[in-house]
């Protein structure tokens, strides 16, 4: 498979091979990410296709580095948008289940909701992640960014499914404490 | 509570966390059965040795000392494809599949080919050289899965079998595989296959697909010991084949090897993409 730099060069040369190489290298992870949110291969395929188109339009002038995170984020955003659109019709996606898990960590019934911007919250989450072990960071990201199932995470990190569930429970408790200490109430 | 805002924020988390999570590979856990499986394998090895060695000794002691024509024990035996490991590839649906798809017509059991270079092999004597043991069920018209409304004739879904035999819609099918399932599967039925095979005597057939060749290849077992093949391809001209035509293995291999696909053959693998 081509190096990211070479794929970007193909984008800059306006070669359609860029899309093929991008799909070959990251297509699987993109489709899986989208499917985890949407629970539909058809919708996932369309979202990933739209993401490729988005990348085609953005590169150049953008020269994303790392490319994988860049394309995954586009896929994630498009999939979430489509999910919201289809929310009434679809239930029980990995996204919904993962977000339900977080409700306890994020809710603060007796407080006024803050006007915290998503970007500020992202910074706080990053700070929180910095204080976690690498393994815990990966587990958290795989669950709440890539929307992997417990079984998928267990396979990736080499833990049992039960162990992953326990770890995530602890991480969520820590996150709740971390957010509370910083008076972040969502 | 605002999980939407949290989800939005997660999209803005720095790329390095995405990269770290994408590239992380922990220590592989050995499955529970690994230890027992290893012990069972050792036991099988011992038993196989005990059974095969006496036969080898006996054969070497026969007049002329030549190879036996009875099976594939000796290299170079004239063993037709389909005689070795053929029993591992059955056209019959599993019990779970028969139950799950009892009200759904036209479900096909499809095996996947291994590396695409199988057709270039000079010594293709064994089914497992060309096919993976992994069968999936292609369910026409139910791309959202059975239980959901049909989605039209131009669609299908794929069910895969778990280790315990349970069938799951979509899950477990890697996207690359799913996306390279040949379009020729759309509209393909057992009736069409049986019609195409009507000119020859055959016992049964299995359906396979090659992601690399982008084709469905039906392998028919024939009483004369030589398998016949019918192909259904999305790009027949690319393969130098004519759909709905019965080929012998030799004919199929020759055509595929001389096609643009064969000429431009790389080490790309269907199953180990």
């Amino acid at each position: 498979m081509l190096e990211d730099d070479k794929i970007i060069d193909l984008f800059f040369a306006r070669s359609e091979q860029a899309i093929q190489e991008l799909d070959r290298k990251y297509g699987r992870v993109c489709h899986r990410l989208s499917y985890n949110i949407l629970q539909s291969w058809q919708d996932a395929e369309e979202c990933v296709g739209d993401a490729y188109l988005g990348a085609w339009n953005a590169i150049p002038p953008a020269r994303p580095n790392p490319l994988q995170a860049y394309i995954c984020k586009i896929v994630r955003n498009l999939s979430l948008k489509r999910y919201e659109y289809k929310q009434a019709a679809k239930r029980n996606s990995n996204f919904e289940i993962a977000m339900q898990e977080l409700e306890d960590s994020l809710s603060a019934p007796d407080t006024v909701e803050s006007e915290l911007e998503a970007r500020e919250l992202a910074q706080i989450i990053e700070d929180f992640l910095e204080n976690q072990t690498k393994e815990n960071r990966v587990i958290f990201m795989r669950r709440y960014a890539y929307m992997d199932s417990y079984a998928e995470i267990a396979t990736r990190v080499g833990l049992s499914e039960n162990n992953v569930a326990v770890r995530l429970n602890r991480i969520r408790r820590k996150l709740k404490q971390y957010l509370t200490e910083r008076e972040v109430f969502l | 509570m605002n999980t939407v805002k949290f989800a939005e924020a997660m999209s803005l988390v720095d790329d390095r966390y995405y990269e770290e999570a994408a590239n992380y590979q922990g220590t592989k856990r050995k499955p529970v059965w690994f230890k027992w499986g290893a012990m069972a394998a050792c036991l099988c090895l011992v038993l196989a040795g005990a059974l095969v060695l006496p036969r080898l000794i006996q054969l070497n002691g026969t007049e002329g000392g030549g190879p036996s024509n009875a099976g594939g024990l000796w290299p170079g035996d004239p063993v037709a494809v389909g005689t070795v490991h053929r029993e591992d590839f059955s056209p019959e649906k599993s019990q779970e599949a028969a139950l799950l798809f009892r009200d759904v017509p036209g479900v096909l059991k499809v095996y996947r080919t291994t590396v695409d270079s199988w057709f270039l092999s000079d010594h293709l004597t064994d089914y497992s050289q060309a096919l993976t043991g992994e069968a999936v069920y292609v369910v026409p018209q139910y791309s959202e899965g059975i239980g959901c409304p049909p989605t039209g004739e131009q669609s299908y879904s794929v069910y895969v079998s778990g280790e315990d035999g349970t069938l799951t819609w979509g899950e477990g099918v890697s996207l690359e595989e799913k996306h390279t399932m040949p379009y020729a599967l759309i509209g393909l039925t057992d009736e069409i296959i049986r019609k195409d095979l009507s000119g020859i005597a055959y016992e049964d057939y299995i359906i396979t697909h090659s992601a690399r060749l982008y084709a469905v290849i039906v392998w028919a077992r024939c009483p004369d010991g030589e398998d016949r093949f019918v192909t259904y391809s999305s790009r027949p001209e690319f393969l130098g084949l004519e759909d709905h035509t019965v080929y012998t293995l030799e004919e199929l291999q020759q055509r595929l090897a001389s096609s643009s696909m064969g000429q431009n053959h790389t080490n790309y693998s269907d199953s180990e993409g």
Side-chain angles (χ1 to χ4, degrees), chain A residues 24 28 31-32 35 39 41-42 45 66 68-69 73 76-77 90 95 99 102-103 106 113 116 118-119 121-122 125-126 129-130 134-135 137-138 140-142 144-146 156-160 186, chain B residues 1-29 143-144 151 155 169-179 183 268 273:
Chain A
R24 194 170 174 191
R28 188 180 295 207
H31 280 88
R32 186 79 225 177
Y35 177 80
Q39 297 289 291
W41 291 118
Q42 280 186 332
E45 186 171 355
Q68 181 175 212
K73 282 183 171 182
R76 191 172 185 279
N77 285 336
K90 280 271 181 190
F95 170 69
M99 288 299 118
L102 278 166
E103 280 187 7
L106 304 179
E113 284 202 352
L116 196 68
R119 191 162 293 282
L121 179 58
I125 293 170
E126 285 176 15
L129 290 173
E130 277 304 309
K134 183 176 181 181
E135 196 170 59
R137 270 202 304 274
V138 169
F140 184 87
M141 288 297 292
R142 292 306 315 185
Y144 301 115
Y146 288 91
R156 179 177 288 270
V157 298
L159 296 171
S160 71
L186 295 174
Chain B
M1 184 277 300
N2 192 341
T3 52
V4 174
K5 185 173 275 185
F6 183 84
E8 199 181 331
M10 285 301 294
S11 293
L12 298 171
V13 164
D14 195 89
D15 288 353
R16 68 178 185 276
Y17 298 107
Y18 276 82
E19 283 291 296
E20 182 181 59
N23 299 324
Y24 184 86
Q25 201 63 56
T27 314
K28 293 275 184 194
R29 292 179 81 229
S143 67
E144 296 290 329
T151 46
S155 61
W169 170 73
E171 283 294 329
V173 179
S174 83
L175 287 146
E176 197 164 285
E177 292 154 18
K178 180 180 182 295
H179 279 235
Y183 291 125
Y268 183 95

Side-chain angles (χ1 to χ4, degrees), chain B residues 200-252:
Chain B
I200 62 165
Y202 66 96
E203 292 171 0
D204 59 19
Y205 60 82
I206 56 170
I207 304 169
T208 75
H209 83 89
S210 164
R212 182 60 171 166
L213 299 178
Y214 230 63
V216 178
I217 303 175
V218 171
W219 300 48
R221 177 162 56 178
C222 300
D224 61 8
E226 188 174 24
D227 278 16
R228 303 296 199 284
F229 301 82
V230 186
T231 59
Y232 306 89
S233 170
S234 309
R235 300 177 290 187
E237 74 289 349
F238 204 49
L239 301 178
L241 294 166
E242 289 175 38
D243 287 351
H244 306 274
T245 305
V246 178
Y247 296 102
T248 63
L249 176 63
E250 193 180 357
E251 290 167 343
L252 185 74

